[in-house]
Amino acid sequence: MTSSRFFRIALVLGLLSAIGPFAIDMYLPALPAIGASLRADIGSVQMSLTVFFLALAAGQPFYGPVSDMVGRKPPLYFGLVLFAIASIGCALADNIQTLIVLRFLQGLGAAAGMAIPRAVVRDLHTGNDAARLMSLLMLVFSISPILAPLVGSGVIAVAGWRGVFWAVTLAAIAGLVLIATSLTETRRADQRVESSLRSALSAYGVLLRDGHYLGLVFIGSFAMAGFFTYLANSSFVLIDHYGLSPVVYSVAFGVNAAAFFVAAQFNGRLGERFGLVRVVKGAVGACGVVMVAMFLYFLLGGDSMWVLLVLYFIASGLMGLVIPTTSVLALETHGTIAGTASALLGTLQMLTGAVVMAVVGLFTDGRPLPMVAGMAGGALVAMLLTWLTLGGAASGSHAVAGRSA
């Protein structure tokens, strides 16, 4: 594959993957305003975010096998059309209950853009080439947390929080145009013949019995859970507790997101030098140390916004090494069922994030400590899973596979 085509595919897949997260990140500065407008408490407003993640988790097991059976493009069309219709409904919602239901439907549509691009990567590449393409995809994908809150703040200032949903409707329409004009089908017709509902159920059985696959998936899931916890709580902490304006909050959020995608660009190079497994082990361990240090600081009575932002900046960069790499390693040996494997991976990531957000939400009081505790807890679980999955005598063989694939 030529370098220009490599980058073009990464751009298209990254933009498709980013549409759903754009509907999250652009929405964050609006959370306090939505609560005031719809007369809803913090928990109810956060529920409109949590159900989006639950829908992302619920939708991906459907899209993955379907994409194996009928090709990658048709379910992408369906998902983006559903996303656009639900987004229009969100823009017109007049109470928090309606908004929550429509956000769930919006998430079901967005799930297509989360599950299928990873399968396209696996259709095209394995090993370090896949790591490089996945990291480039993450580069485009990660532009969303930088631009979306800033764009959201601008839209909110001009058109109110409802304008956010009209904006993501336009993004979905742009995604449909991209699929039609810039994405070729990567699932060949002869490969689809072997896929059916029965084979999909069988594939899920294979994956759920594969401890190495599940271990890698949950390492990435609990690393990502820290990010989800920050998503759900940071606007209340930084805007209400520390007094940042929505625009300054968006800048702070974007700077931390930049750490993620800049670090992710080193995955291919580090994988070639050290092996993908060693990259994961080192980054997970370092992230755990940073998160525990942040938790101890706030537990002992500290309350500096700068400590929170700087330590999370470092942790976010380390997540950029963990999340794309664990995805590549998890899909490495499941190329024939890449859509199904990618869907289950995405489902478990979103479900883990939603559960962690819901648990942290029980203790949320607008101050940093509950949020930081949830982030540190996710990092510690990821460290334990890394030791169980990649530690010990078996780690050497996997590290070699990571280098040579």
Side-chain angles (χ1 to χ4, degrees), residues 355-368:
V355 169
V356 172
M357 281 195 302
V359 171
V360 173
L362 297 175
F363 303 95
T364 296
D365 58 6
R367 292 183 293 180

Side-chain angles (χ1 to χ4, degrees), residues 46-368:
Q46 285 185 326
M47 182 58 66
S48 70
L49 185 61
T50 301
V51 297
F52 189 91
F53 283 100
L54 289 173
L56 286 176
Q60 290 185 66
F62 165 77
Y63 290 113
V66 169
S67 78
D68 285 339
M69 287 185 275
V70 304
R72 308 303 185 199
K73 293 179 70 170
L76 280 171
Y77 283 125
F78 174 85
L80 285 181
V81 169
L82 177 60
F83 178 90
I85 293 171
S87 297
I88 293 171
C90 288
L92 302 175
D94 60 1
N95 59 72
I96 192 64
Q97 292 79 17
T98 300
L99 182 65
I100 288 171
V101 171
L102 289 168
R103 283 286 282 173
F104 184 83
L105 293 175
Q106 191 186 39
L108 287 178
M114 299 295 290
I116 296 172
R118 284 190 301 264
V120 173
V121 171
R122 182 56 186 81
D123 288 342
L124 297 172
H125 296 289
T126 60
N128 289 317
D129 284 341
R132 279 192 290 269
L133 182 54
M134 189 75 77
S135 294
L136 281 171
L137 187 156
M138 286 288 179
L139 171 61
V140 180
F141 175 86
S142 298
I143 290 173
S144 171
I146 297 174
L147 292 182
L150 290 170
V151 173
S153 295
V155 170
I156 292 163
V158 173
W161 65 267
R162 297 179 189 276
V164 169
F165 293 106
W166 292 114
V168 297
T169 301
L170 294 177
I173 293 170
L176 290 167
V177 172
L178 273 178
I179 297 169
T181 61
S182 302
L183 185 65
T184 57
E185 180 58 64
T186 58
R187 181 74 169 176
R188 300 192 314 269
D190 62 305
Q191 294 172 320
R192 298 176 216 167
V193 171
E194 301 172 2
S195 300
S196 63
L197 179 59
R198 182 175 180 178
S199 67
L201 294 174
S202 175
Y204 278 126
V206 169
L207 294 168
L208 291 171
R209 292 191 299 271
D210 186 341
H212 188 67
Y213 166 85
L214 291 175
L216 288 163
V217 167
F218 279 112
I219 293 168
S221 296
F222 278 98
M224 192 176 282
F227 176 63
F228 289 163
T229 301
Y230 187 78
L231 276 178
N233 293 274
S234 60
S235 61
F236 297 104
V237 171
L238 294 177
I239 294 174
D240 292 342
H241 181 69
Y242 288 120
L244 297 186
S245 70
V247 172
V248 176
Y249 163 75
S250 300
V251 173
F253 189 90
V255 168
N256 282 324
F260 180 97
F261 80 74
V262 169
Q265 300 318 297
F266 292 94
N267 277 324
R269 193 177 307 169
L270 291 172
E272 288 176 350
R273 182 170 180 179
F274 301 109
L276 297 179
V277 167
R278 288 180 67 187
V279 171
V280 171
K281 292 169 73 174
V284 168
C287 186
V289 170
V290 172
M291 290 290 201
V292 169
M294 181 163 54
F295 170 68
L296 291 175
Y297 170 79
F298 285 99
L299 181 66
L300 295 174
D303 194 24
S304 169
M305 179 184 70
W306 289 108
V307 170
L308 173 64
L309 292 178
V310 170
L311 291 181
Y312 184 68
F313 177 86
I314 297 169
S316 183
L318 293 166
M319 288 182 215
L321 299 178
V322 174
I323 294 169
T325 307
T326 51
S327 296
V328 168
L329 289 171
L331 299 180
E332 193 76 38
T333 57
H334 294 292
T336 57
I337 52 171
T340 304
S342 174
L344 184 59
L345 182 152
T347 293
L348 294 176
Q349 284 183 343
M350 294 300 123
L351 189 59
T352 301
V355 169
V356 172
M357 281 195 302
V359 171
V360 173
L362 297 175
F363 303 95
T364 296
D365 58 6
R367 292 183 293 180

